[in-house]
Amino acid sequence: GCTRKLGMKICGFLQKNNSMDERSRMVKNLLSCDNSGGEARFRRTEIDFSNMFARDLLPAKNGEEQTMQFLLEVVEILTNYIRKTFDRSTKVLDFHHPHQLLEGMEGFNLELSDQPESLEQILVDCRDTLKYGVRTGHPRFFNQLSTGLDIVGLAGEWLTSTANTNMFTYEIAPVFVLMEQLTLKKMREIVGWPDGEGDGIFSPGGAISNMYSVMIARYKFFPEVKTKGMAAAPRLILFTSEHSHYSIKKASAALGFGTENLILLKTDERFAFISLFSVPPLQGFVPLFVNATAGTTVYGAFDPINEIADICEKYNIWLHVDGAWGGGLLMSRKHRHKLSGVERANSVTWNPHKMMGVPLQCSAILVRERGLLQGCNSMCAGYLFQPDKQYDVTYDTGDKAIQCGRHVDIFKFWLMWKAKGTVGFEQHIDKCLDLSAYLYNKIKNREGYEMVFQGEPQHTNVCFWYIPPSLRGLPDGAERRERLHKVAPKIKAMMMESGTTMVGYQPQGEKVNFFRMVISNPAATRSDIDFLIDEIERLGNDL
Amino acid sequence: GCTRKLGMKICGFLQKNNSMDERSRMVKNLLSCDNSGGEARFRRTEIDFSNMFARDLLPAKNGEEQTMQFLLEVVEILTNYIRKTFDRSTKVLDFHHPHQLLEGMEGFNLELSDQPESLEQILVDCRDTLKYGVRTGHPRFFNQLSTGLDIVGLAGEWLTSTANTNMFTYEIAPVFVLMEQLTLKKMREIVGWPDGEGDGIFSPGGAISNMYSVMIARYKFFPEVKTKGMAAAPRLILFTSEHSHYSIKKASAALGFGTENLILLKTDERFAFISLFSVPPLQGFVPLFVNATAGTTVYGAFDPINEIADICEKYNIWLHVDGAWGGGLLMSRKHRHKLSGVERANSVTWNPHKMMGVPLQCSAILVRERGLLQGCNSMCAGYLFQPDKQYDVTYDTGDKAIQCGRHVDIFKFWLMWKAKGTVGFEQHIDKCLDLSAYLYNKIKNREGYEMVFQGEPQHTNVCFWYIPPSLRGLPDGAERRERLHKVAPKIKAMMMESGTTMVGYQPQGEKVNFFRMVISNPAATRSDIDFLIDEIERLGNDL
């Protein structure tokens, strides 16, 4: 609290040429500063935001000083939040129901009004927004595939929003466009395509990246669909495993294939795709596209890419690898074998915002053949992509995208890569997988736990039921299943209300609700895993 | 520079209990601080980032102090950048060709490596990334529809990235999900739908918002396409004007309609849609969707929504209004009449990141009928949208989206609305339109200028040719056209190389390259408009 305040106070003081008396008081204050509890003491007296408004900030005349003070005040709120996020004595969340937040919490009112509010209120709003949110960077937040708060990545995002530009042309994003190009090339090298050749783009999330893959596959084999629509193609069939991400289904609906023309192949829990040949013979249909998942969302399973690639090559089918979750393992010499054959794919989705800890959003679609992205999506808008610019316009990448404006998602990732090196990502990934092995070994034979699938997890997903003592004697059957189904939701609800930790649960197929533990947070340690288990037992013991 | 440094220096000093000698030296330094030139003096001596690495930051043990120092150092880079952005003596950009940046500029090397770089280098990279970028917030940046750097919006983005969460569930984004809901309702009220009823979502840009509108229209009339594909529907036809945004074309290609089934209706420069009835009779085709543009990209023209709505109602066609650019005018009592009839639309695209100055990205798709978004896109993924959560799960909005993870685009907008009030947005918009009228009046009869279309602009788009003296005597014809076509690109290239200002140009139909001036930057004043005109004349006089 006090560091910045003091500096501001001092310089404000010096600039104002105050009296010697005030000067000595200041120095005295300063020398007694102990970097704690200083917040309340200084702010109100020195900088009064209650009479300041957005209109007083830049570009307002003489708005520079207020602007800097306001931004530094915001930064103080953010750095306090960051400090607490990594502090295990802080709660992961302070849960409230929607109606509670909508009714308004002591001075935090979500309603928008016609008249402006003071910057004092804006700062309160910032503080409260964080207060009632969820600390996704907390070492005990295990709820999603994207967790953690990387400091360099965060700095990258702050810079990105300050630069406030758009990826469509080199003209207005020269550095970012080149960073994207170099980073995509590096990713393609890691996938294993010769010299990193190929194409790609960062997209707003893995679902859109997967959608791109289906669009490009269609364009490759039936380019006339672009102009004539699906009527110009035969009935096209897509394949994916029943455990693959639902975005493949969303894409098949959106792009006009229809979800019934997406065939969900049977899998087991550890290896998807028992066989493509379990599909009934296809009459009058053309198989277009196969999605192999590298790291399924719930089980973390890896489809056997080489086996699938053999079939795709034989029948000339587009092979996409959805490595949104598992792609990060390519950075690890120890674990990348789980994606063996990925270099045979025609396209790959890889989300650095998941396993690599890059802040949201950061997802790439990589394409082996150059030119397809452009061919599929280009519409040559004259107002953006003028051919007579003074620079090499092949760097204007906007016409490859289904978006027009595109957020700068590359900088934070590029900066993290610089700061950690490839080896830093590798260490992070190896550590997370070690931690999940630790969890697996801890609970596999522990009383009160049943694993959803046998064997060590391939990714960091550890799926399990916690069986409260009251259910341990019950024979398997409808009653036990019904009661067990309610256990995870109850524990999760209590967890959220006590705010101590968060982990996801879901049913899957015939399986009743179970916990899915995933580890991607660099802040997590064995003690946090131990804590989670203790907490599940504390909350679930009497169910 | 000095404020924060000093504060840090002082507290560092106090924490370390240094000798009294050092203490007096410190106080002396402090009292001589004049808030300029302090940067180089303090940083290197006090905080040595050259031996610090990303791994030393949180969550590293004892990493808190380094983390705070690093982040504050980044903030200093950013606040310096912001200060300069609003300073007219700073260049808008420091242009380099792609090959120059790729070769590396004095210590700025874009290549990624296996080993980590020091935080010192990371800070240099941050500084250089900004140095070689484009200041889109500069008062003389007129190049895109999105310009400016709103300080409150920026603070909102910094907070958003610090919170680093995802919009799909209330569970992990309780506050943001509610803010989105309330803000969308407010926007629908402003559109004019009774009680703000309806639906909507923030999407990654106007192109995706427009794509949503086509998807929802198809779902409304042919819901079976979701499961059975386009084969289940008759041949569907979409309509838009020839001046509408190219994203409608992208959507028709991506979604399986085919661009040939998108009919581009003739327009004039000021009012699009001369008539739907100029379309040849449609045999065997079903007209599904009409896009009316509120603010075309190049001319800023508004389609007559009421006339189009009459036809859509008569033939039961979905009416979408693409107000990506013009939607902001709804906030102005003076200008909202240009969107008369918008309340009759079935869906509306409205990008606050354009005319309302919200940082990128912030785009909304609003839908009049509730339930269609969900119906069209939902796939009920069990691992995210568990029905047995402890809170009201209708707040889990993720299944409405074609994305899975979705970036938090709402907070900066909500915060700006709080800080400016509705009236603040109105003032901003009125001011920008006044400025464009000033420009129009300044050049409409000025020697050396020809307007691309007659009459006062409806939006802030002012389209014109600058005719260098050497072309002024030439009769209209092939030679003059050919030479005039080269004028705007040449001036633009020189502008970028001198870095003084930026404005877009393009050809349109038969019209050779002309400048398209747009004003959305709150920092721009009449003096900046004057500067632009002077600059065009300075650079173009001898062509």
Side-chain angles (χ1 to χ4, degrees):
Chain A
C2 113
T3 43
R4 188 191 56 72
K5 295 288 180 193
L6 257 180
M8 275 170 52
K9 194 174 165 72
I10 294 156
C11 278
F13 157 70
L14 292 164
Q15 282 162 2
K16 283 182 204 142
N17 289 318
N18 285 336
S19 71
M20 276 310 290
D21 265 355
E22 241 183 297
R23 189 177 287 206
S24 7
R25 189 159 48 78
M26 177 80 55
V27 173
K28 203 173 142 208
N29 271 347
L30 188 159
L31 294 176
S32 68
C33 163
D34 63 356
N35 201 28
S36 70
E39 193 178 26
R41 189 150 28 112
F42 290 121
R43 189 160 54 77
R44 296 285 181 126
T45 53
E46 195 64 4
I47 309 153
D48 183 6
F49 289 107
S50 67
N51 282 316
M52 276 172 57
F53 291 87
R55 60 175 173 263
D56 300 319
L57 303 175
L58 286 172
K61 214 173 164 217
N62 302 323
E64 189 175 298
E65 185 56 26
Q66 286 97 309
T67 300
M68 296 304 133
Q69 289 189 6
F70 172 71
L71 285 176
L72 292 173
E73 197 70 30
V74 171
V75 167
E76 182 166 291
I77 294 170
L78 300 182
T79 49
N80 279 334
Y81 177 82
I82 293 164
R83 243 191 287 258
K84 286 190 187 152
T85 289
F86 289 98
D87 175 356
R88 288 180 174 77
S89 68
T90 305
K91 285 185 173 186
V92 175
L93 80 163
D94 181 8
F95 179 77
H96 291 83
H97 284 278
H99 68 88
Q100 294 174 304
L101 289 175
L102 285 171
E103 283 156 11
M105 314 287 299
E106 310 170 44
F108 186 39
N109 169 13
L110 295 173
E111 288 295 339
L112 299 166
S113 73
D114 290 347
Q115 296 305 316
E117 291 186 358
S118 73
L119 293 181
E120 179 77 40
Q121 181 60 45
I122 294 302
L123 291 167
V124 169
D125 289 341
C126 286
R127 229 171 266 123
D128 286 347
T129 296
L130 291 171
K131 177 170 158 49
Y132 298 113
V134 175
R135 296 178 182 274
T136 60
H138 194 287
R140 291 170 183 165
F141 178 81
F142 302 108
N143 208 63
Q144 313 295 142
L145 304 185
S146 300
T147 64
L149 184 60
D150 186 274
I151 299 298
V152 172
L154 178 63
E157 273 297 75
W158 288 1
L159 185 145
T160 298
S161 46
T162 309
N164 193 31
T165 195
N166 205 312
M167 290 297 283
F168 42 47
T169 60
Y170 178 85
E171 187 171 322
I172 63 159
V175 183
F176 299 133
V177 161
L178 296 178
M179 283 173 176
E180 180 174 77
Q181 195 195 54
L182 288 170
T183 308
L184 287 169
K185 184 167 194 290
K186 191 93 180 167
M187 293 172 86
R188 290 189 303 260
E189 282 169 13
I190 290 167
V191 161
W193 293 333
D195 298 323
E197 278 302 302
D199 209 342
I201 200 164
F202 281 83
S203 93
I208 302 290
S209 292
N210 285 340
M211 180 186 273
Y212 267 113
S213 73
V214 180
M215 284 172 62
I216 303 164
R218 180 175 66 184
Y219 180 75
K220 167 74 178 171
F221 293 105
F222 301 96
E224 62 277 19
V225 171
K226 181 179 178 182
T227 50
K228 298 191 183 305
M230 288 296 270
R235 193 85 171 254
L236 301 173
I237 298 289
L238 317 170
F239 299 91
T240 192
S241 90
E242 57 181 352
H243 290 172
S244 69
H245 192 256
Y246 70 108
S247 54
I248 304 288
K249 221 167 167 179
K250 287 215 178 198
S252 66
L255 304 179
F257 292 86
T259 52
E260 287 178 7
N261 296 312
L262 170 68
I263 297 189
L264 298 181
L265 297 167
K266 282 264 165 227
T267 66
D268 66 20
E269 290 86 355
R270 302 215 43 205
F271 299 100
F273 278 105
I274 291 170
S275 167
L276 278 176
F277 298 108
S278 63
V279 178
L282 303 162
Q283 295 190 323
F285 297 87
V286 174
L288 175 76
F289 171 97
V290 175
N291 172 58
T293 306
T296 58
T297 314
V298 176
Y299 294 141
F302 288 77
D303 287 340
I305 302 176
N306 270 316
E307 290 172 44
I308 297 169
D310 289 344
I311 300 171
C312 288
E313 282 167 17
K314 185 168 165 194
Y315 295 103
N316 198 25
I317 303 175
W318 184 278
L319 173 59
H320 175 65
V321 171
D322 177 5
W325 174 223
L329 271 60
L330 290 168
M331 306 295 277
S332 160
R333 280 163 289 192
K334 187 170 167 197
H335 296 287
R336 66 166 287 141
H337 68 90
K338 294 168 187 173
L339 290 99
S340 274
V342 66
E343 72 285 355
R344 297 172 67 187
N346 299 95
S347 55
V348 176
T349 291
W350 176 353
N351 287 9
H353 72 211
K354 293 199 165 80
M355 199 59 207
M356 292 167 77
V358 178
L360 289 159
Q361 60 189 31
C362 191
S363 168
I365 171 75
L366 307 171
V367 187
R368 195 168 61 188
E369 183 177 333
R370 222 180 159 71
L372 292 178
L373 259 177
Q374 182 82 20
C376 177
N377 292 308
S378 77
M379 295 294 164
C380 303
Y383 78 97
L384 278 177
F385 310 117
Q386 304 90 329
D388 46 12
K389 287 176 178 171
Q390 86 268 39
Y391 59 83
D392 177 355
V393 294
T394 59
Y395 289 94
D396 285 354
T397 56
D399 223 11
K400 286 183 186 179
I402 54 167
Q403 301 178 267
C404 172
R406 189 159 59 92
H407 191 258
V408 178
D409 294 334
I410 185 61
F411 181 67
K412 58 195 163 196
F413 182 31
W414 178 91
L415 198 69
M416 280 176 70
W417 203 321
K418 279 269 179 187
K420 296 164 83 87
T422 312
V423 297
F425 284 120
E426 179 177 42
Q427 282 158 7
H428 164 60
I429 283 155
D430 288 351
K431 187 196 146 204
C432 288
L433 278 128
D434 283 355
L435 265 186
S436 71
Y438 172 78
L439 169 62
Y440 169 76
N441 287 316
K442 183 180 173 105
I443 61 173
K444 68 178 172 182
N445 298 316
R446 191 181 178 94
E447 195 188 356
Y449 291 81
E450 277 177 33
M451 305 309 290
V452 174
F453 58 89
Q454 298 311 309
E456 195 159 317
Q458 293 178 278
H459 205 317
T460 70
N461 309 49
V462 181
C463 295
F464 61 91
W465 288 281
Y466 170 71
I467 322 283
S470 67
L471 293 187
R472 286 184 202 162
L474 275 185
D476 199 9
E479 193 204 334
R480 185 176 189 272
R481 284 174 49 82
E482 207 172 292
R483 287 176 60 186
L484 185 56
H485 187 59
K486 290 180 184 149
V487 169
K490 275 188 194 154
I491 293 176
K492 172 69 176 277
M494 289 188 283
M495 225 176 228
M496 284 181 67
E497 268 149 39
S498 63
T500 46
T501 181
M502 278 176 81
V503 57
Y505 74 87
Q506 66 282 296
Q508 178 99 356
E510 295 293 290
K511 298 182 161 83
V512 300
N513 278 323
F514 55 86
F515 286 114
R516 177 202 65 171
M517 178 68 180
V518 280
I519 302 164
S520 62
N521 193 335
T525 62
R526 290 188 175 198
S527 73
D528 299 308
I529 304 292
D530 294 341
F531 180 86
L532 175 86
I533 293 302
D534 290 347
E535 193 65 1
I536 287 175
E537 293 173 2
R538 179 179 77 85
L539 297 167
N541 193 57
D542 298 330
L543 290 182
Chain B
C2 113
T3 43
R4 188 191 56 71
K5 295 285 178 192
L6 258 179
M8 276 170 51
K9 195 174 164 73
I10 294 156
C11 277
F13 158 69
L14 293 163
Q15 281 162 4
K16 284 180 202 143
N17 289 318
N18 285 336
S19 72
M20 274 310 288
D21 265 358
E22 241 185 295
R23 188 178 287 205
S24 7
R25 191 158 48 78
M26 178 80 54
V27 173
K28 205 175 142 209
N29 271 346
L30 187 158
L31 294 177
S32 68
C33 164
D34 63 356
N35 200 26
S36 69
E39 192 178 28
R41 194 152 25 113
F42 290 121
R43 187 161 54 79
R44 296 282 180 127
T45 54
E46 196 63 5
I47 310 151
D48 183 5
F49 288 107
S50 67
N51 282 315
M52 276 172 56
F53 291 88
R55 61 177 174 261
D56 301 319
L57 303 175
L58 285 173
K61 213 173 165 214
N62 302 323
E64 189 174 297
E65 185 57 24
Q66 284 99 308
T67 300
M68 295 305 132
Q69 289 188 6
F70 172 72
L71 284 176
L72 291 174
E73 197 69 30
V74 171
V75 167
E76 181 166 290
I77 294 170
L78 300 182
T79 49
N80 279 334
Y81 177 82
I82 293 164
R83 242 192 285 260
K84 286 189 187 154
T85 289
F86 289 97
D87 174 355
R88 287 179 175 78
S89 68
T90 306
K91 284 185 174 185
V92 175
L93 80 162
D94 180 7
F95 180 77
H96 291 83
H97 284 278
H99 68 88
Q100 294 174 304
L101 289 175
L102 286 171
E103 283 156 12
M105 315 287 299
E106 311 170 42
F108 185 40
N109 169 12
L110 295 173
E111 288 295 339
L112 299 167
S113 73
D114 289 347
Q115 296 305 316
E117 291 187 358
S118 73
L119 292 181
E120 177 79 39
Q121 181 61 45
I122 294 302
L123 291 167
V124 169
D125 289 342
C126 286
R127 227 172 267 123
D128 286 346
T129 296
L130 291 171
K131 176 170 158 50
Y132 298 114
V134 175
R135 296 177 182 275
T136 60
H138 194 288
R140 291 172 184 164
F141 178 81
F142 302 109
N143 208 65
Q144 311 296 142
L145 304 184
S146 301
T147 64
L149 183 60
D150 186 274
I151 299 297
V152 172
L154 178 62
E157 274 296 76
W158 288 0
L159 186 145
T160 297
S161 46
T162 309
N164 193 32
T165 194
N166 206 312
M167 290 297 284
F168 41 47
T169 60
Y170 178 87
E171 185 170 324
I172 63 159
V175 183
F176 299 133
V177 161
L178 296 178
M179 283 173 177
E180 180 175 76
Q181 195 195 53
L182 288 171
T183 308
L184 287 168
K185 184 165 193 289
K186 191 91 180 168
M187 292 172 86
R188 290 190 302 260
E189 281 169 13
I190 290 168
V191 161
W193 292 334
D195 297 324
E197 279 301 303
D199 209 340
I201 200 163
F202 281 83
S203 93
I208 303 289
S209 292
N210 284 340
M211 181 186 272
Y212 268 113
S213 73
V214 180
M215 285 173 61
I216 304 163
R218 179 175 66 183
Y219 180 75
K220 167 73 179 172
F221 292 106
F222 300 96
E224 62 277 18
V225 170
K226 181 178 178 183
T227 49
K228 298 190 184 302
M230 289 296 270
R235 193 85 171 254
L236 301 172
I237 298 289
L238 317 170
F239 299 91
T240 192
S241 91
E242 56 180 353
H243 290 172
S244 70
H245 192 257
Y246 70 108
S247 54
I248 303 288
K249 220 166 165 180
K250 288 215 179 199
S252 65
L255 303 179
F257 292 86
T259 53
E260 287 178 6
N261 296 313
L262 170 67
I263 297 188
L264 299 180
L265 297 167
K266 281 265 166 226
T267 66
D268 65 20
E269 290 86 355
R270 302 216 42 205
F271 298 100
F273 277 106
I274 292 170
S275 168
L276 278 174
F277 297 108
S278 63
V279 178
L282 303 161
Q283 295 190 321
F285 297 85
V286 174
L288 174 77
F289 171 96
V290 175
N291 172 59
T293 307
T296 58
T297 314
V298 176
Y299 294 141
F302 289 76
D303 287 341
I305 302 176
N306 271 317
E307 290 171 44
I308 298 168
D310 289 343
I311 300 171
C312 288
E313 282 167 16
K314 185 168 164 193
Y315 295 104
N316 197 25
I317 304 175
W318 184 278
L319 174 59
H320 175 65
V321 171
D322 177 5
W325 174 224
L329 271 60
L330 290 168
M331 306 295 276
S332 160
R333 282 163 287 192
K334 187 170 165 195
H335 296 287
R336 66 166 288 142
H337 69 90
K338 294 168 187 173
L339 291 97
S340 274
V342 65
E343 72 285 356
R344 298 171 66 186
N346 300 95
S347 55
V348 176
T349 291
W350 176 353
N351 287 9
H353 71 210
K354 292 198 166 81
M355 200 58 208
M356 292 166 77
V358 178
L360 290 159
Q361 59 188 33
C362 190
S363 169
I365 172 74
L366 307 171
V367 186
R368 195 168 61 189
E369 183 177 332
R370 221 180 160 72
L372 291 178
L373 258 177
Q374 182 83 19
C376 177
N377 292 307
S378 77
M379 296 292 164
C380 304
Y383 78 97
L384 278 177
F385 310 117
Q386 304 91 328
D388 46 12
K389 288 176 178 173
Q390 85 268 40
Y391 59 83
D392 177 355
V393 293
T394 59
Y395 289 94
D396 285 354
T397 56
D399 222 12
K400 287 183 186 179
I402 54 167
Q403 299 176 269
C404 172
R406 189 160 58 93
H407 191 257
V408 177
D409 294 334
I410 185 61
F411 181 66
K412 58 194 163 197
F413 182 31
W414 179 90
L415 198 68
M416 279 176 70
W417 203 321
K418 279 269 180 190
K420 297 163 82 86
T422 312
V423 297
F425 284 120
E426 179 177 42
Q427 282 158 6
H428 163 60
I429 283 154
D430 288 350
K431 188 196 145 204
C432 288
L433 278 129
D434 283 353
L435 265 186
S436 71
Y438 172 76
L439 169 61
Y440 169 75
N441 287 317
K442 183 181 172 107
I443 61 173
K444 68 177 172 181
N445 298 317
R446 190 181 177 94
E447 196 187 355
Y449 290 81
E450 278 176 32
M451 305 308 290
V452 174
F453 58 88
Q454 298 311 311
E456 196 159 315
Q458 294 179 276
H459 205 317
T460 70
N461 309 48
V462 181
C463 296
F464 61 92
W465 288 281
Y466 170 69
I467 321 284
S470 66
L471 293 186
R472 286 182 202 163
L474 275 184
D476 199 9
E479 192 204 334
R480 185 176 188 271
R481 283 174 51 81
E482 207 171 292
R483 287 175 61 185
L484 185 55
H485 188 57
K486 289 178 183 151
V487 169
K490 275 187 196 155
I491 293 176
K492 173 69 176 279
M494 289 188 284
M495 225 175 226
M496 286 180 68
E497 268 148 41
S498 62
T500 46
T501 181
M502 277 176 82
V503 57
Y505 74 87
Q506 67 281 297
Q508 178 99 357
E510 295 292 292
K511 297 182 161 84
V512 300
N513 278 322
F514 55 87
F515 285 113
R516 177 202 66 171
M517 178 67 182
V518 281
I519 302 164
S520 62
N521 193 334
T525 62
R526 290 189 175 197
S527 72
D528 299 308
I529 304 291
D530 294 339
F531 179 86
L532 175 84
I533 293 302
D534 290 347
E535 193 65 0
I536 287 176
E537 293 174 3
R538 179 178 78 85
L539 297 167
N541 193 57
D542 297 331
L543 290 180

